[in-house]
Structure formats: structure tokens, C-alpha cells
Amino acid sequence: MSSNKLVLIGGGGHCMSVLDSLLNGKCQRFEDIVIVDRPENVGKEIIGIKIKVSDDQLVELFSKGYHYAFITVGSIKTTAKRRELWFAARNIGYQFVNIIDPTAIISPTVHLGTGIFVGKSVVINSGVTIGDMAIINTGAIVEHGCSVGPFCHIAVGGVLCGGVCVEQDCFIGANATIIQDEHISPSTVIPAGALVKHSKLYLPHLVL
């Protein structure tokens, strides 16, 4: 049986947000949390927790009973690094948890994959599907019937109106709005503040 110990993989800014949610008393509790990062960052602290080991020690940590993992490297233009770390940890045997800030509002009809971060004051409405390893960041709104694919990042204040389909590896920038029933093709990057409407399967240019 797996012990209740968690490894956070990546010690940057996204780790700070995730860790802040984890340390909230109403969030899921782990008996121990270890942050791993590049060797040159070992010894640094994030919200009072030290980066203890480098990410080449994931096998050793797993053997010591750390069987849960969460990727705390964010993504903007590419999800390559997140995918690389996910693949490596998955092959070792780590199980991926969801980390949901207690201030988020999520309908009981929402279907969540694994490895998902849902930040502060997020609203996810009824009938939504969120794919594995997605990031739904601070203050984002995902309205009824939307689908967010694996490894997508809905940035701070992003809004998906009803029935929007965002395919895998997309980045929806801060305060961007996707009008209802739009379809965003894989690996699309929507800049901060954009309004997307009247698009088809791929959006080469913004419609403002």
C-alpha cells in the first residue's frame, strides 16, 4: 500500500502557487512533501520548504515511499518539459494527484483527470471535462459543457464560455475570453487579453 508522501517536481513560480494551496488546512493532507529541482537549486526555499534533492533522485525517493507526484513546472508556449517530467515520473511508478485550492468552486458534475491544478477562486461549472495534467489558474472561469484537453493551461482570469472545446497542449492567456461553442485546435497559444469568436477548428489569427 502506498504511503501518503508527495513529491513536487519543479521549484519555480508555479510550485509556489501549488504549495500555497497544499499548505491550506482545508486541502488534502500529506504526511510529507518534498520538492525536487535542478541540482543548482537544492537548498533554496519555497514558502519555507526547502528543495532537498535534485530531480535525478526520483527513483530513490520512490524507493523511500514517496509514491505520489505532482508536476510543478508550468507551461506557456510549450508543454514539452511538463510532458517529459510526467513521462519520467510515470515510468518510475508515481501516481499523480489533483491539487485543488479550497477557494475553487467546482460542480459535482465535473469530470477531472489526474495531475490537475485548480487555483484560487476558479469556477468550473456543470458538465465540464478537464483532461490530465491541465492547469486552471487563479480566477479562471470554465463554463458549462466545456472540454479542456490534457496538458492545457488556462491562465489567470481566463474565461471559457459555455460549450468551448480546447484540445490538448493549448495555452489560454491571462484574461483571454473564448466565446461559447468555439473549438481551439491542439497546441494553440491564445495571447493575454484576447477575445476569440467566429473561429473554426484552428485560429491562426485573433478575431477581436
Side-chain angles (χ1 to χ4, degrees), residues 98 106-114 116-118 122-136 141-154 160-168:
N98 292 332
I106 301 178
S107 166
T109 63
V110 169
H111 177 75
L112 297 174
T114 60
I116 295 165
F117 177 64
V118 179
V122 166
V123 176
I124 305 179
N125 219 328
S126 59
V128 169
T129 297
I130 307 291
D132 295 344
M133 304 301 298
I135 299 171
I136 314 297
I141 297 174
V142 182
E143 263 300 340
H144 58 85
C146 287
S147 174
V148 177
F151 289 89
C152 284
H153 182 175
I154 312 301
L160 306 185
C161 297
V164 170
C165 175
V166 180
E167 296 202 34
Q168 66 184 35

Side-chain angles (χ1 to χ4, degrees), residues 88-99:
R90 186 192 66 171
N91 282 355
I92 292 168
Y94 282 97
Q95 300 176 56
F96 294 92
V97 299
N98 292 332
I99 297 177

Side-chain angles (χ1 to χ4, degrees), residues 22-178:
L22 272 173
L23 295 178
N24 187 304
K26 296 180 181 178
C27 198
Q28 180 181 356
R29 307 302 292 177
F30 292 91
E31 60 186 271
D32 193 24
I33 298 171
V34 167
I35 304 171
V36 304
D37 201 66
R38 296 187 300 272
E40 61 267 28
N41 290 329
V42 172
K44 294 180 180 179
E45 287 191 1
I46 299 176
I47 319 182
I49 295 182
K50 281 190 175 182
I51 300 172
K52 292 185 178 180
V53 295
S54 59
D55 48 19
D56 59 0
Q57 294 175 277
L58 286 172
V59 172
E60 180 181 348
L61 283 170
F62 189 81
S63 70
K64 291 180 177 179
Y66 291 84
H67 294 162
Y68 294 99
F70 194 86
I71 307 299
T72 44
V73 172
S75 65
I76 297 180
K77 293 183 178 180
T78 176
T79 61
K81 188 62 179 179
R82 280 176 60 78
R83 282 188 173 274
E84 176 189 333
L85 294 170
W86 167 79
F87 185 78
R90 186 192 66 171
N91 282 355
I92 292 168
Y94 282 97
Q95 300 176 56
F96 294 92
V97 299
N98 292 332
I99 297 177
I100 299 171
D101 193 274
T103 63
I105 300 172
I106 301 178
S107 166
T109 63
V110 169
H111 177 75
L112 297 174
T114 60
I116 295 165
F117 177 64
V118 179
K120 290 178 173 61
S121 301
V122 166
V123 176
I124 305 179
N125 219 328
S126 59
V128 169
T129 297
I130 307 291
D132 295 344
M133 304 301 298
I135 299 171
I136 314 297
N137 228 328
T138 308
I141 297 174
V142 182
E143 263 300 340
H144 58 85
C146 287
S147 174
V148 177
F151 289 89
C152 284
H153 182 175
I154 312 301
V156 175
V159 177
L160 306 185
C161 297
V164 170
C165 175
V166 180
E167 296 202 34
Q168 66 184 35
D169 298 296
C170 289
F171 176 79
I172 309 300
N175 293 311
T177 299
I178 314 298

